[in-house]
Amino acid sequence: MNRNTPLLEVSNLRVAFDGKEVVRGIDFTIQPGEKLALVGESGSGKTVTALSLLRLVMHARITGSAGFLGRDLLALPESDLRGIRGSDIAMIFQEPMTALNPLFTVGEQIAEVLELKQGHSSVDAARMAIDLLAETGITEAQRRARAFPHQLSGGQRQRAMIAMALACKPRLLLADEPTTALDVTLRAQILDLLTALQRRNGMAVLLITHDLNLVRRFADRVAVMENGCIVEQGAVTQVFADPRHPYTRRLIDSRPERDVPPSFPDAVGHEPLMRAQALRVTYPVPLGGVRGWFAKGEFVAVRGADFVIPPGQTLGVIGESGSGKSTLALAALGLLPFSGALQVASGSWNQGAKANKALRQSVQVVFQDPFSSLSPRMTIEEIVGEGLRVHAPGLSTAQRQARVLTALEEVGLARAQFPGLLVRYPHEFSGGQRQRIAIARALIVEPKLLVLDEPTSALDVTIQKQILQLLQALQRERGLSYLLITHDVDVIRAMAHEVIVMKDGDVIESGSVEQVLGAPHHEYTRVLVAAAG
């Protein structure tokens, strides 16, 4: 193929569901061996665009053209298109745990592609599946090929998905958010792997993402989508250096900015809101053989953690999945048994149910995914006011409703802006609005400390920045303290005063955010900071 002839040429692509267009007449091309990033927030139409190229969108009306190797993908008979899927055009889906079949080993699933698409025997296909897994950097590939998806880590599952996609050496790879579900260092590894395989095989890549750091490091060109339209496209260096469209500028400017008080004035001379010394959390695990009949072993999730959270300050806890940071948060909330010393406000979680109830008012939590943490059966008034029924049972209905409205207004949800606000349900709000509701629910009992467990990781970048700005403003106005659990180095930079780095249950480094992120001592911390770009 002539290098100047596009491998894929999409013209006036439109996708509609029940008469409503979600992709509205977009045009773009991909040259052989080129890496194009399609960037936009949730609902912009970028994933629907990729799926439409292979006609994998159910109940959609797709018009326009998608020229690929001289044929229009949108006009081909299903039998011809079936031959292209997986062979000439392959796809990596966002969440490998749902994309992989849980009933078959990863080796069997890769081998199936080789048998169906290239006609290899089952013996040859099994051997080639192991080679493909090894090529993607999975250690002990022969053993991992016999593993089921749930027996692999997130990074290993994503590598298995890549091995399956590349089994037939496609000319074009559609990668839909291939690193979103992964930790920051794993993201860098998968990105480097895709780059190496892309160069080795000479394939083109259409990368679907909302991660601008990913685009900077990986893509040659970028197309920016908003509300089903491509509003800007060009070379990555040109678009990032001189964005023309307001939406592109807003995306680029969405990196979290630090705006926190150096210290809350009332903190001087006050006791810490939380202090931990040699905090240890373990889980029982079964022992093998006869020993398991009489005793259980233990898995140490947090090993001897020490930290202090003064009034009006933020302690950031950073680490990858399995590092122990979420377990640390649950222990801080008194939701897991622990050993060691943990002082909370003026008490501890071990003083009995009545004392624990008083502490619950001082320590509240905001979870990672607001859609799963808010009851779909409760109205917004019931959700936000629930804490008042426990901690202020003497309030009348009118007083409670007034407190609910005040809390919602404080997080930017006014009744004038949202008619019928109190009788709505969570599904009637966007992701960012749901997280504001979750924050209002935590604030209504007037806590002193909020445990924030990945409070922005489920949100788009512009919404993430808005939520962080809200949390920063609340800290300044109320003197709140935060225990911030995250794997995002940018969020730590924007929010934390002090930071601890966790790995495999250990606190491997701690100190001020400037010291730990600016001049990290531990190699693991340096890897985290470097991977964040």
Side-chain angles (χ1 to χ4, degrees):
M1 174 183 284
N2 190 322
R3 182 76 184 181
N4 296 321
T5 302
L7 175 68
L8 177 71
E9 188 168 9
V10 175
S11 178
N12 195 30
L13 177 65
R14 295 178 180 272
V15 184
F17 296 91
D18 294 327
K20 181 182 179 181
E21 280 194 341
V22 296
V23 176
R24 300 184 287 172
I26 65 172
D27 306 294
F28 64 89
T29 62
I30 302 178
Q31 301 294 330
E34 184 181 39
K35 296 173 289 185
L36 172 68
L38 196 56
V39 176
E41 296 179 286
S42 299
S44 62
K46 58 188 188 297
T47 294
V48 171
T49 295
L51 293 173
S52 298
L53 298 177
L54 293 175
R55 303 217 303 267
L56 294 175
V57 186
M58 299 290 288
H59 311 300
R61 183 174 181 270
I62 306 171
T63 60
S65 64
F68 179 77
L69 298 176
R71 296 188 290 176
D72 183 1
L73 296 173
L74 305 186
L76 285 176
E78 177 64 22
S79 57
D80 291 353
L81 190 59
R82 198 178 299 124
I84 290 175
R85 294 184 189 128
S87 297
D88 293 314
I89 303 178
M91 188 157 190
I92 301 172
F93 294 96
Q94 180 172 354
E95 177 45 72
M97 194 60 183
T98 56
L100 292 170
N101 192 322
L103 301 179
F104 295 91
T105 68
V106 294
E108 289 171 337
Q109 294 181 63
I110 297 169
E112 182 183 28
V113 175
L114 294 164
E115 291 178 54
L116 292 177
K117 294 292 183 180
Q118 296 192 329
H120 292 288
S121 69
S122 58
V123 174
D124 287 342
R127 176 182 50 77
M128 293 170 70
I130 294 171
D131 292 341
L132 283 164
L133 287 172
E135 189 179 357
T136 61
I138 290 182
T139 57
E140 299 182 272
Q142 188 168 357
R143 182 168 69 88
R144 300 298 185 189
R146 297 193 296 269
F148 291 90
H150 72 273
Q151 296 174 309
L152 301 179
S153 69
Q156 289 169 338
R157 284 194 293 267
Q158 195 63 287
R159 289 171 187 268
M161 279 284 296
I162 293 171
M164 189 184 306
L166 300 185
C168 298
K169 294 185 169 50
R171 292 173 180 264
L172 174 62
L173 178 67
L174 309 179
D176 184 13
E177 301 277 11
T179 63
T180 297
L182 303 177
D183 290 315
V184 62
T185 54
L186 284 178
R187 289 182 193 182
Q189 292 172 20
I190 295 298
L191 200 64
D192 291 342
L193 171 64
L194 280 175
T195 300
L197 295 173
Q198 182 265 338
R199 287 174 179 165
R200 186 184 310 165
N201 299 330
M203 66 182 174
V205 179
L206 175 61
L207 174 68
I208 313 296
T209 187
H210 67 267
D211 189 334
L212 299 182
N213 285 332
L214 205 67
V215 175
R216 283 190 182 96
R217 294 181 58 176
F218 182 77
D220 303 314
R221 287 193 306 117
V222 59
V224 182
M225 285 194 76
E226 182 189 25
N227 296 328
C229 300
I230 290 181
V231 297
E232 185 167 2
Q233 59 180 312
V236 167
T237 51
Q238 175 256 313
V239 170
F240 277 77
D242 185 25
R244 302 297 175 87
H245 195 275
Y247 179 71
T248 310
R249 289 196 291 271
R250 195 160 73 248
L251 280 181
I252 292 173
D253 292 340
S254 62
R255 191 161 186 161
E257 295 178 0
R258 185 171 179 81
D259 182 21
V260 295
S263 64
F264 192 67
D266 291 345
V268 179
H270 282 60
E271 282 292 312
L273 287 177
M274 186 171 285
R275 182 195 299 273
Q277 292 178 301
L279 183 67
R280 191 172 190 267
V281 182
T282 63
Y283 295 102
V285 294
L287 293 173
V290 177
R291 287 189 306 160
W293 299 355
F294 305 102
K296 286 189 177 295
E298 68 174 18
F299 169 74
V300 182
V302 177
R303 189 181 292 103
D306 299 326
F307 62 84
V308 174
I309 307 177
Q313 302 284 290
T314 299
L315 173 66
V317 183
I318 192 167
E320 296 180 292
S321 298
S323 63
K325 61 186 189 299
S326 289
T327 299
L328 179 72
L330 292 173
L333 288 163
L335 299 177
L336 282 179
F338 59 85
S339 60
L342 180 62
Q343 175 192 335
V344 184
S346 56
S348 71
W349 294 117
N350 300 321
Q351 293 178 329
K354 188 174 181 180
N356 284 354
K357 180 181 174 182
L359 288 182
R360 295 257 174 248
Q361 187 170 358
S362 298
V363 183
Q364 289 287 303
V365 61
V366 177
F367 292 103
Q368 177 175 356
D369 183 0
F371 195 69
S372 60
S373 67
L374 302 178
S375 172
R377 295 186 176 90
M378 296 172 68
T379 65
I380 301 309
E381 181 178 6
E382 291 169 336
I383 288 170
V384 177
E386 187 177 22
L388 294 178
R389 295 181 182 276
V390 177
H391 298 290
L395 293 177
S396 67
T397 301
Q399 289 172 324
R400 189 163 54 245
Q401 187 178 94
R403 291 270 295 270
V404 169
L405 286 170
T406 300
L408 288 168
E409 287 178 6
E410 193 171 8
V411 298
L413 297 175
R415 188 157 55 170
Q417 185 184 1
F418 298 93
L421 172 63
L422 296 184
V423 295
R424 291 192 186 190
Y425 290 86
H427 72 271
E428 299 178 73
F429 295 87
S430 69
Q433 290 164 350
R434 285 194 291 264
Q435 195 63 297
R436 290 174 184 269
I437 292 166
I439 294 171
R441 177 178 61 179
L443 291 178
I444 199 165
V445 296
E446 300 182 349
K448 298 175 182 177
L449 171 67
L450 286 187
V451 176
L452 306 171
D453 187 7
E454 300 277 11
T456 61
S457 64
L459 305 176
D460 287 317
V461 287
T462 56
I463 306 301
Q464 179 188 80
K465 185 174 181 179
Q466 293 172 21
I467 295 298
L468 291 179
Q469 288 172 336
L470 170 63
L471 291 169
Q472 291 166 344
L474 290 169
Q475 184 171 57
R476 286 195 304 272
E477 293 162 9
R478 287 189 171 218
L480 286 169
S481 295
Y482 297 140
L483 176 60
L484 174 63
I485 311 297
T486 185
H487 65 266
D488 192 327
V489 173
D490 285 340
V491 171
I492 290 289
R493 280 198 180 100
M495 292 288 296
H497 297 85
E498 300 283 317
V499 59
I500 63 177
V501 183
M502 294 193 70
K503 186 179 190 307
D504 299 331
D506 291 311
V507 175
I508 60 170
E509 190 161 357
S510 63
S512 70
V513 67
E514 295 85 1
Q515 169 197 330
V516 173
L517 300 186
H521 296 300
H522 198 281
E523 177 60 27
Y524 176 73
T525 311
R526 288 195 287 270
V527 170
L528 280 181
V529 173

